Amino acid sequence: MATDDVAQLADSLAKTGVEDGELSYKGQGRKLDDAQSVEEMVKEIQDFEGLQALRLEGNTVGVEAARAIAKALETKSALKRCYWSDMFTGRLRSEIPPALNSLGDALMLAGARLTVLDLSDNAFGPDGVKGIENLLKSSTCYTLQELRLNNCGMGIGGGKILAAALIYNHKKSSAEGSPFSLKVFVAGRNRLENDGATALAQAFKLIGSMEEVHMPQNGINHAGVTALAEAMQHNPGLRILNLNDNTFTEKGAIAMAQALKHLRSIQVINFGDCLVRPEGAKAIAASVSEGLPILKELNLSYGEITEDAALVVAQAVKDKDQLEKLDLNGNCIGEDGCRALKVAMEAMNMSELLGSLSDDEGEPEDDDDDDEDEDDDEEEDDDEEDVDEEEVEEEEEEEEEEESTGNKFSTPQSAPRPPEVSSFLSFPSPDKLLKLGPTRALLIEQQVAKKSPLLLVCYSSVENSVCKDVFPLADGLLRKAFTSSSFQGYSFVSSLLVLLGLIKSEDKVKPVIVVPGHLQALEHVVRQDYFPKESVAVLEAFMSRNNKTLEPCGNAKNNLQSTLQRVRSQS
């Protein structure tokens, strides 16, 4: 071959981008209006033996040009990948469906078996979906593994048409013995909203083979999110779930958290800008902590997450050895909370995995109305506590009277007496603790086991004289709790900080009135081998703050701080 011919061939290959059965006109900006404008392209397609991939993105194709290209594709049975994004720029929307119909009909006539169809960035609306409806229902797409329709403006109507086509495909292909097994679905910025998302969720639930689902910026609220969550549970091989910039709220986040429990293969979760809020974040954290062994990225940014919830999330990722990034930016953590979050991640040797917190919104401000409601609630709760305490005391008096009169239904001295235990747990005092007798540890453990592992540290307002009785109780309960598979240890410190009044809770949980006994018990607990060492650093950061709730504790606070510093330095 002459040198000039070699140069000409090389130039032609460079322009068309031939590689591994692929013919590419990507990004050439051609304006292809009619058959004449695509003569060269048509000839190259016809002459290309074993064509497997055709890239037309970045050009603009009219109806007549599409028909000419389609004619050349009628014999290309080996074609598998169609990269046809951004190829209708400047075209009327009415031109797009007939162009897509021509191309789709050619693929079906050729007997092609597609694996990739990318029509992103074409803004063709619901009518455009109709233009590929027959193709998606045909045997040409029985083998489709990737469907990319990002930024196409499908709307609710287009989403429903698309979902119906995918369901039809699955049923027909299954009947022929080769079920449709779509793996990658991309449909961001399509205004699908709840109805469109719910329709697609039905398709995903039936297909069951999804590995990647990308549906950001679709105006989906909790109803649509809940439908998608249910569908995802039927796709155990899911690796990437991107629902960025939709509106979960707590309802949607909790539903999605439930779905995550079934997705042990998931590696990337992008729920950024989804308004998951504190309770939603905690629910997601619970699922992360309990499973997701190969999680690499968790994005809960811009979700109105508060300090306590952010710490719960941080604790949830501590055992994720494949984690590469945790994004909590743009939330309502506050300056002190951001500092504590960094301390928590550093204590777990994961500080480099925490993304930037530069856009944090600061702690949420309390509304006056909320304060008034909270005051009313406190008054009601105080009244209820008075009534409850009176009822408990009356029950105890009645039981004592029954025992003194020899009532045949009296409770034997050696058996548990729940009313006395309940009284201590509700209104703890040294006298009530000692009154439980030598079996107090067993009695309290039995009562606690009926509910959940409660933190004795938080309700044992004791004096030095009975610390020797409280410490064994705390050790027994907490050691058992931390070793229990059902115990949510990642939320332990967050709950403790809320109850001690060191951080605010979105649930408006009332802090206890902190007395030295609380901090004495806590000082004992943090020295024990069952207490998580990564939690020590977080506690130390919060105890170093100037907080009015701890002012009455004087020496007890100082002793606790010293112990925390010592334990941390030894770990």
Side-chain angles (χ1 to χ4, degrees):
M1 184 181 292
T3 303
D4 291 344
D5 293 336
V6 173
Q8 186 177 357
L9 176 60
D11 183 60
S12 178
L13 291 175
K15 287 181 179 180
T16 56
V18 178
E19 181 182 353
D20 297 331
E22 177 182 288
L23 184 58
S24 175
Y25 302 93
K26 179 179 179 180
Q28 295 184 9
R30 299 190 188 188
K31 193 172 187 297
L32 308 172
D33 296 324
D34 50 30
Q36 185 177 358
S37 65
V38 293
E39 280 183 354
E40 181 184 350
M41 183 183 293
V42 166
K43 187 176 187 307
E44 289 171 344
I45 293 173
Q46 290 173 335
D47 294 344
F48 197 112
E49 295 293 334
L51 181 63
Q52 295 184 30
L54 179 61
R55 307 195 79 111
L56 296 175
E57 65 263 55
N59 300 284
T60 176
V61 183
V63 176
E64 294 304 319
R67 286 174 181 163
I69 295 171
K71 189 67 177 176
L73 293 175
E74 289 180 355
T75 59
K76 301 301 175 181
S77 59
L79 188 61
K80 296 180 180 179
R81 303 184 302 279
C82 296
Y83 301 102
W84 297 346
S85 64
D86 189 23
M87 68 175 198
F88 296 115
T89 301
R91 301 292 170 182
L92 296 175
R93 182 168 288 188
S94 59
E95 293 182 78
I96 300 176
L100 290 174
N101 271 318
S102 297
L103 293 168
D105 289 345
L107 295 175
M108 290 186 283
L109 183 61
R113 292 292 185 268
L114 295 185
T115 58
V116 178
L117 178 59
D118 186 354
L119 289 166
S120 298
D121 301 316
N122 280 312
F124 47 48
D127 291 340
V129 183
K130 292 178 182 178
I132 59 171
E133 182 179 7
N134 290 334
L135 174 62
L136 291 173
K137 289 181 175 180
S138 73
S139 59
T140 295
C141 287
Y142 285 180
T143 52
L144 193 65
Q145 294 183 5
E146 297 184 20
L147 179 59
R148 300 177 181 272
L149 298 169
N150 201 58
N151 191 30
C152 287
M154 290 188 290
I156 295 173
K160 289 182 176 180
I161 295 169
L162 176 61
L166 297 178
I167 291 172
Y168 181 90
N169 182 323
H170 187 272
K171 289 181 178 178
K172 291 289 289 185
S173 60
S174 297
E176 295 183 19
S178 55
F180 177 44
S181 300
L182 187 66
K183 294 181 179 179
V184 178
F185 180 80
V186 181
R189 299 182 65 187
N190 270 289
R191 304 193 306 275
L192 294 170
E193 301 183 14
N194 286 340
D195 290 346
T198 299
L200 286 166
Q202 294 173 353
F204 298 150
K205 183 176 180 180
L206 181 65
I207 293 169
S209 58
M210 305 304 304
E211 294 183 4
E212 296 184 24
V213 174
H214 304 262
M215 297 174 65
Q217 296 184 23
N218 270 295
I220 306 170
N221 296 328
H222 70 83
V225 171
T226 299
L228 287 170
E230 183 181 353
M232 293 305 107
Q233 295 183 37
H234 297 270
N235 290 267
L238 191 68
R239 294 183 297 106
I240 300 175
L241 182 57
N242 177 7
L243 295 175
N244 188 283
D245 200 7
N246 290 290
T247 308
F248 282 36
T249 67
E250 291 92 340
K251 290 182 180 179
I254 290 171
M256 194 58 72
Q258 182 62 34
L260 290 175
K261 295 179 180 179
H262 302 267
L263 304 176
R264 293 186 59 80
S265 298
I266 203 156
Q267 297 177 15
V268 177
I269 299 171
N270 187 345
F271 296 159
D273 206 9
C274 285
L275 206 66
V276 298
R277 292 182 174 151
E279 289 310 303
K282 290 177 183 178
I284 292 169
S287 296
V288 170
S289 179
E290 294 167 9
L292 315 192
I294 58 174
L295 183 66
K296 292 183 177 180
E297 182 175 335
L298 176 60
N299 184 345
L300 295 178
S301 59
Y302 301 93
E304 292 190 359
I305 298 172
T306 52
E307 180 179 4
D308 62 320
L311 287 171
V312 172
V313 173
Q315 293 291 320
V317 301
K318 68 178 180 180
D319 294 323
K320 309 304 169 188
D321 53 11
Q322 295 190 35
L323 190 73
E324 297 175 359
K325 184 176 181 181
L326 172 63
D327 192 346
L328 292 171
N329 200 16
N331 283 298
C332 304
I333 303 173
E335 185 177 348
D336 288 340
C338 288
R339 190 179 300 112
L341 184 59
K342 292 175 181 178
V343 168
M345 294 295 287
E346 183 181 352
M348 298 185 292
N349 295 319
M350 302 176 82
S351 58
E352 72 281 1
L353 306 183
L354 180 64
S356 171
L357 299 173
S358 59
D359 289 341
D360 188 76
E361 297 288 338
E363 293 184 24
E365 296 181 2
D366 293 331
D367 295 332
D368 293 338
D369 292 341
D370 291 341
D371 292 339
E372 291 176 5
D373 293 341
E374 199 167 309
D375 291 340
D376 293 340
D377 292 340
E378 287 177 2
E379 290 178 4
E380 292 176 5
D381 291 342
D382 289 341
D383 293 340
E384 290 175 3
E385 287 180 2
D386 292 341
V387 173
D388 291 342
E389 188 164 18
E390 288 175 5
E391 290 176 354
V392 171
E393 290 176 354
E394 287 176 4
E395 288 177 1
E396 292 176 358
E397 289 174 1
E398 289 175 2
E399 288 191 0
E400 291 173 359
E401 185 177 343
E402 288 174 355
E403 289 177 4
S404 63
T405 56
N407 190 305
K408 64 179 179 179
F409 295 110
S410 62
T411 304
Q413 289 289 336
S414 59
R417 296 174 60 187
E420 289 188 3
V421 178
S422 298
S423 176
F424 168 71
L425 294 178
S426 300
F427 314 103
S429 70
D431 290 340
K432 289 181 180 179
L433 177 63
L434 297 176
K435 188 177 180 181
L436 293 176
T439 60
R440 61 178 70 90
L442 176 61
L443 296 178
I444 292 176
E445 185 175 321
Q446 288 173 342
Q447 286 298 303
V448 169
K450 292 177 182 177
K451 302 173 184 177
S452 62
L454 300 178
L455 179 60
L456 189 65
V457 174
C458 291
Y459 54 68
S460 306
S461 50
V462 297
E463 300 171 351
N464 288 332
S465 58
V466 291
C467 277
K468 60 182 177 61
D469 298 295
V470 172
F471 293 166
L473 293 179
D475 289 338
L477 289 174
L478 292 178
R479 187 182 300 278
K480 187 173 183 179
F482 278 115
T483 56
S484 170
S485 59
S486 62
F487 183 64
Q488 298 178 341
Y490 59 87
S491 64
F492 172 84
V493 173
S494 177
S495 300
L496 174 61
L497 294 173
V498 169
L499 288 168
L500 292 177
L502 299 179
I503 61 176
K504 295 178 181 178
S505 170
E506 193 72 11
D507 299 332
K508 297 183 179 178
V509 174
K510 295 179 184 177
V512 298
I513 299 175
V514 183
V515 297
H518 289 128
L519 303 189
Q520 292 166 4
L522 186 55
E523 182 189 356
H524 168 81
V525 166
V526 299
R527 293 199 304 264
Q528 309 310 308
D529 58 1
Y530 58 74
F531 193 82
K533 295 302 181 249
E534 63 270 12
S535 299
V536 171
V538 179
L539 278 175
E540 183 185 356
F542 278 93
M543 292 302 298
S544 64
R545 297 184 186 179
N546 292 323
N547 194 295
K548 293 182 179 180
T549 62
L550 302 182
E551 286 180 359
C553 299
N555 291 335
K557 176 189 174 184
N558 296 333
N559 292 338
L560 174 57
Q561 284 182 281
S562 298
T563 299
L564 288 168
Q565 292 172 358
R566 185 167 60 255
V567 172
R568 188 184 179 194
S569 64
Q570 293 172 351
S571 60

